[in-house]
Amino acid sequence: MPSHDAPPRAGSAPPSDHGGRPVHDADVLVLRGGRVLDPASGHDGEADVVIERGTIVRMGRGAAEGFEGEGVTSIDCRGRWVAPGFIDLHVHFREPGQEYKEDIASGLRAAAAGGFTAVCAMPNTRPVNDNRAITELMVARAREVGGARLFPFGAITLGSKGEQLTEMADMKDAGAVGVSDDGVCVMNAAVMRRALEYAATFDLMVSQHCEDHHLTAGAQMHEGAIATKLGLRGWPREAEDIIVARDVLLNVRARARYHVAHLSTKGAAAMVREAKARGQRVTAEVTPHHLLLTDHALLGYPTSCKVTPPLREAEDVEAMIEALRDGTLDCIATDHAPHSPIEKDCEMSAASPGMIGLETTIPLLLGLVREGKLGALRLIEALSTSPARISGIEGGRLGPGARGDVVVLDPDLRWTVGRDTLQSKSLNSPWLGHELTGACMTTFVAGKAVWER
Amino acid sequence: MSALFPHRHLLGIEGLSAKDIVSVLDTAEVFYEVSRRPVRKVPTLRGKGVINLFFEASTRTRTSFELAGKRLSADVVNISTSTSSVTKGETLLDTLKTLEAMRPDVIVIRHPSSGAALYASQKVGCSIVNAGDGTHEHPTQALLDAFTIRRAKGRLDGLVVTICGDVAHSRVARSNARLLGMLGSKVRVVGPRTLMPADCAALGVEVFDRLEPALEGADVVMVLRIQQERLQGALIPSLREYSKTYGIGPRTLRYAQPDAVVLHPGPMNRGVEIDPATADGERSMVLEQVEAGVAVRMAVLYLLAADPGTGMTAG
C-alpha cells in the first residue's frame, strides 16, 4: 500500500528536471549584478545568485566573489531582474486529446518562455484526467519533454460530471498536485462537501471553478450594460459569488485546502477576504486578464475575449488589483487556454471560451508595476512564492538550498505578440499583434537553461 | 457605396447617423410608390446578385427581401439552413466563403448568434445586410417600423413610443430603441422584470414595470412577440397571466393617446400579447408594416448595391 503520510512536497518527486537545451551546463552558474527579487526573504536589490549543481548556494551582494575560472559560467544580469521561477497553478495543455491546440511539449516550451518553471495542468483533457493512468501519462510525457516541470490536477469527479468522486489518493501517488473539475463547477453541494472531506484526508488541494451553471445557461459574457447592447446572454456576478460562499461554508468543517480558481468578482474577493480574516482555510488566484480587461473589450465581438469567468467591469478590475495587493488573492495564475481557429474564428456563440496567457503574463503585469498599481516584489511573490506555498510545489525562493529554478527578465525589452514570437501552438490572445514591454530572457530549471531569448 | 448612404454594409442601427436613416426612409418612399404600380419592377439592380442566407425560420423577412431584390431586377437566391450544407456540419465561415466565391453583390444574413452579421462582414468582400443576428439587431425591421410610423404620424421627433414585452430577447426592441431615440422619439419599454435585460437603461430607454403608466400618453405602441419557450426558462408563469397583465387590447389602449397606432413585428400570438380586435382594428399598422418592409428593403439594397449614378427607378 502506498503511504499518504508524507507532507505535500509535490516537488520532491520532480517529474522533469532534465532536458531542454543545455545552454549553460556548467557545474557552477553565477548570475551577476541583477536586480534580485526574492519575496521569501524580502530582498529587492542588486545582488548575485550562485547556483551549484542545480541548487542555489549563495544569494546577496558580492555573493559571486571567488566564483571564477573553470566550470563556472557567469552571466551579466545588470539591468535585468532575477527572480524565482514562476509557478502557474492553472494551465490547459490539451494533451491527451486535443493536441492540435497545444500539447505537453509546446505547452512546456510556452511556460519556459514566459518564465514559468512549474505549471499545473488542469484535467479537462480528452478523456478527462480522472484516474491514475492519465495522470501517469501526463507526468511521463512531461519528463520525456523536459524543461519546465508539470504537475497535473486530477478531476474531482469522474468525467468531471459532478457525481462520483475520483480515486484521488491514487492520482496523488501518480503525481497529481490537487483536484479540480475546472471548466465546470461541482454543482451538487453534497458532492462538494464529500469532495472537500475526502481531499482533506489526503491533504490534496481542491481548486474550484466557481459557477452556478443554472445562472449562466447560454451566457457569452458578463451580465451588464455591454451584454445588453450586444445582445449577448449575460453571466451575472452572483453565479460566481454563490459558489464561493457555499464552498467557504462547507469548508468550515471540512478544512480542506480549498482554492478559488480564476476569481473575477468584487463580491467573491470580499468573501475570501472575510473568510481569511476568520481564519478559514481558503486561497485564491486571479488571471492576468481579469486584472487588466473589462467587458468593454467584448465590443465588436472579438472571440479572443470570450473567457470563463467573463471579463467583468472596471470596479471588479479595481477590486482584483486591491485584493492582489492585500493578499486576499494569493497568486496569479494564467488559465492558459489554447484554442485553434476552429474554436475561435467563428461567430461568438460557437466560440470556445479561453485565452492563452503563459507568454504574455510578464509584460502585461509589468505594466501594472510601471503604473504604480502593484509592487514589483508583490508581483514576483504572486507568481512564485505564493503558488509554491499553496500547492506544495518546491520553489518560489532564491535563498541557499533553494532549487535552481530562476528566471532572468528584461523589463524594458519590446516585442510584438505573434506567430514568430510565441512558443504556444495557439494564438488566441487579445494582445495578438500588440507590442508589449518586458520579456523573459532566460529560464533556469534546476540550474539548466530551458529557455533563452 | 452611395453618397446618400456612406456604408458598405447594413449591420445594425448602431453605426448609422440620423442622416443615414432619413436617407433610407426617403429612398423607401420612392420604392413604396413603385410597389403600388401595375408593373412593380424597375431595372435598377439588373445583373446584380443577392443571396438571402437564413439560419433561422422566417416568412415575412425572407419573402420581403426576396421581393425587394426581384422588384429591383436583381438575381435573388434563397438559402435556408434546412437546405444548406450547415446540416452537414459546415461552419458559418465555410458557408460564407463558398457563397462569396459565387460573386454575389449582397448577402442578406439571418443568424441565431449575436454578432454574426458583423463577423460575416469581416470575412467576405460583398455587402452584408443584417436580417437579424441573435438578440442583437434587426435593422431593416426598425427602419420599416420608422417608415410606418412616419407615414402614420408625419414625424418621428417628439413621439412617445412604448415597446411592450420580451425586450431581453428582442433584437427588434434593440434596433428600434436605437433608431427612434436617434430621431428624437421618447422610447419606453415595459414588461415583467424577468423579460428586461440587465441595465436596460443602457439602451437609452425609460423602463416601466406596469403597462398602464407605460402607455400613458403614448403615440405609438409597439408589441413584441412572446415566445412559448419563455415558460420553460421560468421567465413568466403562464401565457394567461402575461396576457392579463401585459396584453394590448381595447382596455389597456385607453391609456395611450386616442390616435395612438399599434405595431407588431409578427408573427402575432393572437390573444396573448395582442387582442384580436386590436390586431385587426383601425389602429393596427401590422399590414402597413409588411408593405413598408418591401419598400425599405428595396431602398437598402439600392443604396448598398446600385452602381454610382444609377437612378432609383432606371437601369
Side-chain angles (χ1 to χ4, degrees):
Chain A
M1 277 292 288
S3 161
H4 303 294
D5 298 332
R9 290 254 61 95
S12 62
S16 56
D17 272 355
H18 305 290
R21 291 171 297 153
V23 184
H24 299 290
D25 218 355
D27 285 348
V28 178
L29 176 68
V30 179
L31 307 175
R32 280 180 202 272
R35 175 180 174 184
V36 174
L37 295 117
D38 179 33
S41 65
H43 185 279
D44 178 3
E46 197 192 306
D48 306 326
V49 175
V50 182
I51 304 171
E52 205 172 332
R53 287 186 198 84
T55 303
I56 295 171
V57 291
R58 299 188 69 183
M59 187 274 278
R61 238 180 202 286
E65 263 172 52
F67 287 92
E68 275 158 27
E70 193 83 358
V72 175
T73 302
S74 186
I75 299 174
D76 183 0
C77 292
R78 282 175 298 178
R80 305 264 161 95
W81 291 14
V82 177
F86 305 147
I87 297 170
D88 191 342
L89 299 184
H90 197 138
V91 301
H92 299 273
F93 279 177
R94 312 300 188 201
E95 183 177 351
Q98 294 179 313
E99 292 84 352
Y100 68 98
K101 299 181 182 187
E102 194 83 286
D103 56 26
I104 287 172
S106 64
L108 289 177
R109 271 200 308 278
F116 293 89
T117 52
V119 292
C120 298
M122 284 294 157
N124 63 338
T125 45
R126 307 262 175 93
V128 171
N129 179 18
D130 60 5
N131 64 72
R132 180 183 192 114
I134 296 169
T135 305
E136 278 178 348
L137 177 138
M138 291 167 74
V139 169
R141 187 78 191 99
R143 203 188 300 260
E144 214 175 282
V145 168
R149 300 188 300 160
L150 180 130
F151 298 92
F153 265 80
I156 296 173
T157 60
L158 287 179
S160 288
K161 290 198 172 86
E163 292 159 7
Q164 202 178 330
L165 295 186
T166 56
E167 294 178 340
M168 295 182 191
D170 210 19
M171 289 193 291
K172 182 178 181 180
D173 272 353
V177 73
V179 288
S180 176
D181 275 355
D182 185 61
V184 287
C185 181
V186 180
M187 279 295 291
N188 182 320
V191 172
M192 189 60 189
R193 174 191 174 182
R194 298 311 179 195
L196 289 167
E197 290 169 351
Y198 193 77
T201 311
F202 303 101
D203 200 25
L204 273 163
M205 181 181 170
V206 182
S207 177
Q208 173 79 297
H209 171 112
C210 298
E211 172 182 1
D212 185 323
H213 292 285
H214 295 304
L215 284 170
T216 61
Q220 305 290 319
M221 63 173 294
H222 171 69
E223 182 176 290
I226 303 292
T228 292
K229 283 185 182 172
L230 291 172
L232 292 173
R233 195 78 68 87
W235 160 323
R237 292 187 182 93
E238 291 82 352
E240 180 167 335
D241 300 352
I242 281 170
I243 300 297
V244 173
R246 182 200 75 178
D247 288 354
V248 163
L249 287 172
L250 288 172
N251 205 35
V252 170
R253 282 199 288 164
R255 299 283 302 160
R257 290 164 60 197
Y258 176 71
H259 180 74
V260 180
H262 45 52
L263 189 146
S264 74
T265 69
K266 52 183 181 172
M271 275 187 278
V272 169
R273 184 178 287 119
E274 286 158 20
K276 283 184 168 183
R278 286 194 302 270
Q280 278 190 247
R281 207 168 184 191
V282 55
T283 55
E285 69 190 30
V286 63
T287 71
H289 46 277
H290 289 110
L291 288 164
L292 294 163
L293 298 176
T294 67
D295 60 350
H296 279 78
L298 272 298
L299 291 170
Y301 303 90
T303 56
S304 62
C305 291
K306 180 175 172 180
V307 286
T308 49
L311 302 174
R312 304 280 183 190
E313 296 178 38
E315 57 197 279
D316 298 283
V317 169
E318 282 163 30
M320 291 309 103
I321 293 171
E322 180 53 36
L324 182 60
R325 285 159 57 121
D326 74 13
T328 299
L329 296 173
D330 298 85
C331 65
I332 293 157
T334 63
D335 195 4
H336 179 80
H339 288 295
S340 82
I342 297 170
E343 294 81 26
K344 285 294 193 180
D345 189 1
C346 56
E347 63 276 23
M348 193 60 126
S349 62
S352 296
M355 63 173 77
I356 56 170
L358 284 167
E359 297 171 78
T360 47
T361 294
I362 262 302
L364 291 173
L365 297 183
L366 281 174
L368 288 180
V369 175
R370 284 189 287 266
E371 289 167 36
K373 291 178 177 170
L374 190 63
L377 202 58
R378 176 62 190 136
L379 168 64
I380 299 301
E381 180 182 45
L383 283 167
S384 60
T385 320
S386 297
R389 167 178 53 82
I390 294 169
S391 62
I393 293 172
E394 192 187 347
R397 61 190 188 94
L398 291 178
R403 273 182 63 93
D405 290 358
V406 181
V407 61
V408 179
L409 310 174
D410 181 340
D412 304 313
L413 187 89
R414 298 169 82 85
W415 61 286
T416 301
V417 182
R419 181 62 287 165
D420 297 343
T421 51
L422 293 180
Q423 302 302 309
S424 173
K425 280 190 186 180
S426 290
L427 300 171
N428 54 306
S429 165
W431 289 281
L432 188 66
H434 288 232
E435 191 186 63
L436 304 179
T437 303
C440 170
M441 305 308 289
T442 318
T443 304
F444 298 97
V445 172
K448 286 192 165 47
V450 297
W451 164 256
E452 272 206 320
R453 186 180 280 270
Chain B
M1 218 183 282
S2 148
L4 279 172
F5 193 75
H7 301 277
R8 182 124 164 270
H9 311 287
L10 177 63
L11 304 176
I13 298 301
E14 187 163 42
L16 300 185
S17 67
K19 188 165 161 283
D20 298 334
I21 291 163
V22 171
S23 291
V24 176
L25 300 184
D26 290 348
T27 306
E29 291 288 351
V30 177
F31 292 120
Y32 187 83
E33 296 311 321
V34 168
S35 291
R36 291 194 159 203
R37 289 180 194 167
V39 177
R40 294 176 279 275
K41 194 156 181 149
V42 291
T44 314
L45 293 187
R46 197 162 49 197
K48 304 283 183 188
V50 176
I51 297 176
N52 290 326
L53 178 59
F54 276 61
F55 293 91
E56 280 183 348
S58 163
T59 309
R60 72 200 66 215
T61 305
R62 193 188 54 72
T63 310
S64 177
F65 268 111
E66 183 178 356
L67 269 179
K70 286 180 170 167
R71 285 183 184 170
L72 292 168
S73 301
D75 298 315
V76 183
V77 180
N78 296 317
I79 301 170
S80 59
T81 40
S82 54
T83 57
S84 77
S85 303
V86 174
T87 49
K88 299 175 194 166
E90 188 172 72
T91 64
L92 176 57
L93 179 60
D94 284 334
T95 302
L96 288 167
K97 287 290 183 190
T98 302
L99 295 180
E100 186 191 23
M102 300 179 193
R103 304 200 165 274
D105 297 281
V106 181
I107 295 176
V108 177
I109 182 171
R110 167 170 288 191
H111 196 278
S113 181
S114 297
L118 172 66
Y119 176 75
S121 75
Q122 293 161 346
K123 297 296 168 185
V124 297
C126 65
S127 291
I128 294 289
V129 175
N130 183 3
D133 63 326
T135 53
H136 176 226
E137 283 234 39
H138 191 353
T140 57
Q141 180 70 45
L143 287 163
L144 76 88
D145 288 343
F147 183 90
T148 306
I149 296 168
R150 198 174 73 162
R151 282 204 143 235
K153 295 282 167 195
R155 65 192 167 106
L156 292 165
D157 186 44
L159 295 178
V160 174
V161 181
T162 303
I163 304 177
C164 310
D166 189 1
V167 176
H169 302 90
S170 177
R171 53 194 174 210
V172 174
R174 281 175 178 76
S175 288
N176 264 307
R178 288 189 174 109
L179 187 157
L180 294 167
M182 215 187 308
L183 293 192
S185 301
K186 281 190 57 171
V187 182
R188 302 170 177 173
V189 299
V190 60
R193 293 184 186 190
T194 48
L195 297 180
M196 291 294 132
D199 296 316
C200 191
L203 298 174
V205 297
E206 200 182 345
V207 187
F208 288 75
D209 283 331
R210 302 301 304 270
L211 189 60
E212 293 76 9
L215 290 180
E216 194 73 54
D219 300 293
V220 178
V221 181
M222 205 172 267
V223 190
L224 300 175
R225 176 180 165 76
I226 186 80
Q227 280 166 322
Q228 191 79 36
E229 56 258 40
R230 303 295 166 236
L231 295 170
Q232 275 84 51
L235 296 171
I236 52 168
S238 68
L239 294 181
R240 177 184 165 274
E241 175 151 303
Y242 182 82
S243 176
K244 224 177 134 188
T245 44
Y246 294 100
I248 297 297
R251 183 189 68 80
T252 44
L253 268 184
R254 284 202 315 257
Y255 293 88
Q257 292 285 7
D259 61 347
V261 292
V262 178
L263 281 77
H264 192 302
M268 292 186 284
N269 294 305
R270 286 170 177 270
V272 182
E273 72 266 3
I274 190 162
D275 183 273
T278 301
D280 301 330
E282 56 182 17
R283 295 162 149 211
S284 170
M285 294 284 121
V286 171
L287 297 177
E288 281 79 356
Q289 288 173 273
V290 176
E291 185 173 3
V294 178
V296 160
R297 285 164 183 137
M298 286 173 82
V300 168
L301 292 176
Y302 165 77
L303 291 169
L304 291 176
D307 292 323
T310 310
M312 289 186 207
T313 56

